[in-house]
Amino acid sequence: MQNRTLIQGNVAVGWGALNAGCDGFFGYPITPQNEIPEWFASEFPKRGRVFVQTQSETGAIMMLYGGAAAGFRVMTSTSSPGWGLIQEGMSHLATAELPCVIVLVQRGGPGQGSIRHAQMDYLAVTRTGGGGGYKNIVLAPATVQEIHDMMQLSFHLADKYSNPVILLSDGVLGLVAETLEIRTLQFEPLPEKTWAARGRDRQGDKTRRFIHTYPSGAPPPRSCPNYVSWLGHLGEKYQDIIDNEVRCEEYLCDDAELVVVAYGYPSRVCKEAINTARAEGMRVGLTRPITLWPFPYETLRKKVNHGCRFLVVEDSLGQMIEDVHLAVQGRTSIDFIGLLDRHLPTDGGMILPGRVLQEIRRLA
Amino acid sequence: MTRETQNKVKVTALDRILFMPVPGCPGCQHGTIGRIIAEVLEELELDGTAIEVIGIGCNSGVAMLNVDVVQGSHGGAPDTATAIKRLSPDSFVYTVQGDGDCIAIGAGSFIGALTRGELITIIMCNNANYGTTGGQLAPTTLSGQVTTTTPEGRNPAVSGHPVHVAELAATFKSVAYSARGALTSPAEYRRTKKYVKKAFQKQLDKIGLGYVEILSACPANWHLTPVDSIKWMEEHMIPEFPLGEFKDSDGKRNLPRDKQE
Amino acid sequence: MAKGEIVIIDVNCRGCGFCQLFCPKDCITITGDRFSPLGYLLPTFTNQDQCNACGICAWMCPHLAIDVYRYAGKGAAKS
C-alpha cells in the first residue's frame, strides 16, 4: 500500500486504527458505516488482530469494556441508532475509567431518521446518554486525512486519560473518497497499564485486579477511598481534559467581523463561501471546533471581545448553537443556517456554499 | 488437650483462592458455587491466569475469589468475556451470572456467545428469582411460584413458563458442553463440581463453549428456612429442571453423556 | 477415635444449619445458646470423636465458616 492513495472516509478509520496499534474491533452492521466493519473483517484477522461481529451494539460496547479491562486498544463504530444502544455501556466505561474509541458516523434522526448524512447527534454525544453525568472526549474530523490522523489521536487521548473517546464523523465524510497519506503519528509515551486484568500471577505485584463500575464498593484500581472522593477525582480528570485538550481551527479570523462556527462537512462548505466573501471584501472567518468536548468556549469568547458577530452552520435543527450561546452569553448576535436550509427537502439534501454565502452577504 | 499437640493438615484449604466470604443471606449458596469454582481452579492450576467476568446481582458475591475479576453490565458478561478471551487467548476466562442476568436481560449476549462458540465458560446460578432486588420473577421462576412480582404465583398465561437454559445451550452446534447441577446434597455438590471441571476442560482443550447451570438456594426470597429451601429444591426445582449433562462434545462428535442416577 | 476436627469461624457463620444437615456423622449441632457477632445461631462441634474429617461440612457451608483438619499419622514428622 503506497502511502498516498484515494481512500474513502470510512476506510480511513481502519488504516488510522491500524497505525494506532488497535488490537481489536467489535462492531455491528448499520448504514452509513458498514465499510468500517467490512474493512476490519478483511484486514485484521490476517494481521493476527481481533475482529468480532457482535449480535448488537449493546454487545459491542461491552466487548470494548472487556478488551479495555484486559489492557488492549479496542474500538467499535456505529451510526446514530446504534449510539442509543451503547449508552449503558458508555456509563460503565466512564466509571471503570476504561480507554476505548467509538466512531460514530452520524445519519439522519431521530429513530430510523435517514440513512444519509446529518449532524443530529451533537448533543447526544457531547452531553452523553448514559446515567451519571460522565464525559466523553469528542473529536470531529472534516477530511479523510483528519479521520485517519484523529483515529490515532483518539487512541492516544483514550489511554492518556483512561476514558472513552468518540470520533464523530457523518454520512458525507464516511462515503466521500479523498487523497490520504497513510502514516503513523508519534505521541508522548504513556505509562504501562498495570491496572489491567491480565491474570493475577501475571501482574508484577501478584495481586488480583478487580475492575468494576461500583465505585462505592471496593475501591477501583485508582484507590479512591469512597464514592464521593471518587467522584471528586472524576471531576478533576474532566477539568484536566478541559484545561489541556481543547482543539480548534481558526481560518481567516484575525480581522473577522463575522465568525462562522461549523464542524464536520459543513465547515468545508463554509470555507468555500468564506473564500468567495473575502474576495468580495467581506471580513469573515471560520472557527471550526475540532474537540466538541471539551468545547472551545474561550476561543469564541475572545472573538466576542473583538466585537464579532456569529453565524452557526450545522446540519441539524440547531444543537452546537447551544454551546455557542454558552460561549457568547448573549453579548452579541448569533445567526443560524441549519438542516432546513438544505438545497433539497429530501434526506439527500445538503447545506451548500451558495446558501451560506447568501447569509454571509446578508449579515456582513 | 491432645488436640493442639496432634499435628493436623487442613483438608479444605483454598487459602490461595478463597479469601472473602460471600456477603449473602443465610443459606445463600452463591458462596458454595464460589467454592466449587475455587476448587476446580486450584486443581487445574488456573487461578493465576483466570479472569472471572461476573454479572450484576447476588451472583456478584462470587467475586470473592482471589482471581482477576471484571464486572461490566447487567447481562453483558458473555460479551465482556468474549473480548477478553479473543484478545488474550492464554487467559482462562469464565462468567458467573444469575438467571435473570444470563437469560433475561443478557439473553442477547448469551445467545451471541453460544452462536459464535466462544472459548469461554458460562456458569449460571439458577435460584429462580431476582435476588438482590428483593425476589422478583425471573425467567426460571417456577409456575405458581410466588415472587414480589407474581404475588398470586407465576401464571404461565401471563408470564410464561420457566426457561430451560441447559437444554437450550445443548442445541447450539458451537457449544461443546452443557450441564445442570444442584447444591442439594454432598453428592450433587461433587457431581456439579465434575460438570464445572469438564466445562473448564473444554476451554483448555479449545473445543468450544462450556455452560454449567447450578440450582442454588435463595432462602431469603423463597421465604423458607435454609434447610427447607433444600427440600423445596428437591421437591419443586429439580423436577422442573432435570439435572445432568445435556451435551458433551469433543468438537467432532457428541460423546456419551454421564447418566444421572 | 476422631480422624480430625473442625473449626467454626464465628464471624463468617450465618446460622444456616447446612453443616448440621449434611454432616454424615451428626457431629455438628446448633444448640441455640451460642450467637455470632452478627447474632446468628452458631453451630457447635459436638460428637467430636465421630468426625472423620471428610470435609462435607466445609463444602456445603455457603459462608466459608468451617475449616476442617485431618490428623496426620502418629509418626508424622512435625513440620
Side-chain angles (χ1 to χ4, degrees):
Chain A
M1 196 67 163
Q2 332 89 318
N3 55 11
R4 279 183 67 80
T5 178
L6 194 64
I7 291 277
Q8 211 186 31
N10 279 343
V11 173
V13 166
W15 294 109
L18 189 67
N19 287 329
C22 173
D23 300 299
F25 176 92
F26 308 86
Y28 188 77
I30 183 166
T31 304
Q33 59 84 57
N34 295 310
E35 295 78 10
I36 299 177
E38 287 162 359
W39 184 89
F40 281 99
S42 56
E43 298 296 333
F44 254 36
K46 62 184 177 191
R47 291 180 166 83
R49 302 185 192 208
V50 169
F51 165 79
V52 177
Q53 179 173 318
T54 71
Q55 72 281 350
S56 70
E57 291 91 345
T58 313
I61 198 69
M62 285 322 295
M63 289 185 187
L64 260 56
Y65 189 101
F72 294 91
R73 280 194 159 185
V74 287
M75 68 173 285
T76 187
S77 68
T78 189
S79 182
S80 310
W83 176 256
L85 281 171
I86 66 174
Q87 291 318 297
E88 185 208 6
M90 294 304 295
S91 186
H92 289 312
L93 284 163
T95 306
E97 297 193 74
L98 293 175
C100 59
V101 175
I102 295 94
V103 174
L104 176 58
V105 183
Q106 294 177 94
R107 71 188 238 183
Q112 290 295 341
S114 104
I115 57 169
R116 306 286 291 270
H117 55 277
Q119 294 188 311
M120 302 173 77
D121 299 334
Y122 179 93
L123 288 176
V125 171
T126 55
R127 270 55 180 182
T128 67
Y134 54 91
K135 283 295 173 188
N136 301 320
I137 296 171
V138 183
L139 296 174
T143 67
V144 169
Q145 186 69 48
E146 278 192 344
I147 288 176
H148 171 272
D149 295 351
M150 285 188 192
M151 276 307 296
Q152 300 179 56
L153 176 60
S154 297
F155 274 107
H156 173 70
L157 293 176
D159 281 353
K160 180 176 178 182
Y161 294 97
S162 216
N163 203 80
V165 173
I166 317 297
L167 187 84
L168 190 62
S169 178
D170 60 60
V172 169
L173 290 176
L175 299 177
V176 83
E178 292 179 292
T179 309
L180 169 67
E181 186 190 337
I182 296 175
R183 56 194 181 186
T184 302
L185 305 176
Q186 296 312 317
F187 296 93
E188 91 225 48
L190 294 173
E192 257 292 300
K193 294 177 182 174
T194 52
W195 48 263
R198 294 195 173 88
R200 187 197 64 211
D201 291 352
R202 293 193 184 124
Q203 316 285 9
D205 52 16
K206 289 284 187 294
T207 53
R208 78 151 185 178
R209 298 303 183 253
F210 185 11
I211 293 178
H212 59 82
T213 81
Y214 191 63
S216 49
R222 288 157 190 79
S223 67
C224 295
N226 55 48
Y227 183 56
V228 170
S229 72
W230 175 77
L231 281 172
H233 145 75
L234 204 58
E236 282 158 18
K237 176 166 98 168
Y238 295 145
Q239 189 56 50
D240 194 15
I241 296 171
I242 289 168
D243 296 344
N244 297 293
E245 302 300 342
V246 172
R247 285 166 173 78
C248 182
E249 179 200 6
E250 290 188 281
Y251 177 75
L252 304 180
C253 279
D254 297 345
D255 65 343
E257 292 163 2
L258 174 68
V259 172
V260 180
V261 185
Y263 74 96
Y265 96 82
S267 68
R268 296 175 63 180
V269 164
C270 293
K271 267 188 185 171
E272 194 166 319
I274 287 166
N275 292 340
T276 312
R278 276 281 173 176
E280 294 168 5
M282 283 172 248
R283 288 163 58 196
V284 57
L286 169 75
T287 298
R288 173 172 71 101
I290 294 172
T291 52
L292 303 185
W293 193 84
F295 189 77
Y297 295 111
E298 287 315 312
T299 311
L300 296 185
R301 266 180 208 128
K302 284 201 201 79
K303 293 290 161 235
V304 177
N305 301 341
H306 299 158
C308 295
R309 283 169 293 110
F310 293 91
L311 169 61
V312 174
V313 179
E314 58 176 313
D315 201 357
S316 70
L317 294 179
Q319 296 189 25
M320 179 178 66
I321 192 166
E322 294 186 10
D323 273 327
V324 178
H325 278 295
L326 279 176
V328 167
Q329 315 222 312
R331 291 166 53 209
T332 181
S333 67
I334 304 174
D335 286 88
F336 178 70
I337 291 274
L339 187 136
L340 301 181
D341 298 292
R342 286 181 168 191
H343 79 296
L344 288 175
T346 62
D347 65 357
M350 288 174 70
I351 298 172
L352 296 184
R355 181 66 187 83
V356 177
L357 181 59
Q358 179 190 347
E359 196 63 14
I360 291 174
R361 285 184 178 132
R362 188 177 72 79
L363 292 168
Chain B
M1 278 278 281
T2 61
R3 191 152 293 118
E4 282 65 32
T5 56
Q6 191 90 11
N7 58 37
K8 51 195 177 185
V9 175
K10 198 168 176 181
V11 167
T12 50
L14 286 161
D15 303 343
R16 196 174 82 233
I17 303 177
L18 284 173
F19 73 114
M20 178 170 76
V22 178
C25 317
C28 162
Q29 289 187 307
H30 282 112
T32 311
I33 292 171
R35 172 182 281 279
I36 286 176
I37 293 171
E39 289 184 6
V40 176
L41 285 175
E42 187 173 61
E43 283 164 26
L44 298 176
E45 291 177 1
L46 292 170
D47 52 300
T49 59
I51 300 178
E52 175 179 282
V53 181
I54 197 134
I56 305 271
C58 291
N59 57 79
S60 307
V62 187
M64 71 203 190
L65 306 182
N66 184 24
V67 295
D68 273 1
V69 175
V70 174
Q71 181 178 51
S73 67
H74 185 35
D79 295 316
T80 302
T82 292
I84 295 173
K85 184 67 179 181
R86 294 248 183 158
L87 286 161
S88 44
D90 53 4
S91 295
F92 184 79
V93 183
Y94 64 94
T95 78
V96 179
Q97 303 173 251
D99 34 32
D101 186 283
C102 180
I103 204 61
I105 190 168
S109 309
F110 180 69
I111 300 295
L114 267 55
T115 304
R116 295 186 303 269
E118 299 294 342
L119 285 177
I120 60 176
T121 315
I122 293 178
I123 293 174
M124 185 178 100
C125 315
N126 179 352
N127 61 4
N129 80 103
Y130 277 86
T132 25
T133 43
Q136 293 80 11
L137 166 77
T140 49
T141 296
L142 305 185
S143 304
Q145 181 183 337
V146 171
T147 73
T148 55
T149 48
T150 56
E152 308 299 326
R154 181 176 189 177
N155 173 0
V158 174
S159 45
H161 289 279
V163 176
H164 298 81
V165 185
E167 292 84 342
L168 169 68
T171 63
F172 284 72
K173 282 214 167 100
S174 306
V175 166
Y177 187 79
S178 176
R180 177 184 297 117
L183 302 175
T184 46
S185 70
E188 293 303 343
Y189 176 100
R190 271 195 298 273
R191 225 173 264 122
T192 301
K193 178 178 168 182
K194 185 185 71 183
Y195 296 154
V196 170
K197 193 165 191 178
K198 284 178 85 170
F200 279 13
Q201 200 59 49
K202 298 296 177 186
Q203 176 174 160
L204 293 173
D205 301 341
K206 297 188 175 50
I207 296 173
L209 187 141
Y211 169 81
V212 179
E213 178 176 325
I214 303 175
L215 307 187
S216 64
C218 178
N221 290 315
W222 293 353
H223 303 289
L224 294 169
T225 69
V227 171
D228 289 344
S229 304
I230 299 294
K231 284 196 197 66
W232 189 81
M233 285 166 75
E234 284 166 339
E235 285 159 15
H236 299 284
M237 266 190 100
I238 291 178
E240 179 63 52
F241 297 111
L243 308 181
E245 295 178 320
F246 296 87
K247 183 169 187 183
D248 182 357
S249 157
D250 65 1
K252 297 179 202 59
R253 52 180 173 67
N254 286 341
L255 307 172
R257 285 176 276 123
D258 298 355
K259 280 287 148 283
Q260 170 72 33
E261 306 87 31
Chain C
M1 200 2 226
K3 295 205 185 68
E5 64 183 44
I6 69 168
V7 172
I8 291 172
I9 304 158
D10 295 1
V11 70
N12 287 358
C13 175
R14 303 261 166 148
C16 71
F18 284 168
C19 49
Q20 175 177 272
L21 175 68
F22 291 119
C23 173
K25 300 283 190 206
D26 294 328
C27 301
I28 304 169
T29 317
I30 295 187
T31 51
D33 57 2
R34 280 192 340 117
F35 294 90
S36 84
L38 296 172
Y40 292 110
L41 281 172
L42 287 176
T44 306
F45 182 30
T46 55
N47 219 355
Q48 298 187 359
D49 49 10
Q50 291 297 319
C51 173
N52 60 21
C54 65
I56 281 179
C57 54
W59 294 352
M60 299 309 287
C61 170
H63 305 294
L64 312 186
I66 300 179
D67 281 332
V68 178
Y69 295 88
R70 176 177 299 119
Y71 295 146
K74 286 279 164 309
K78 294 252 174 316
S79 54

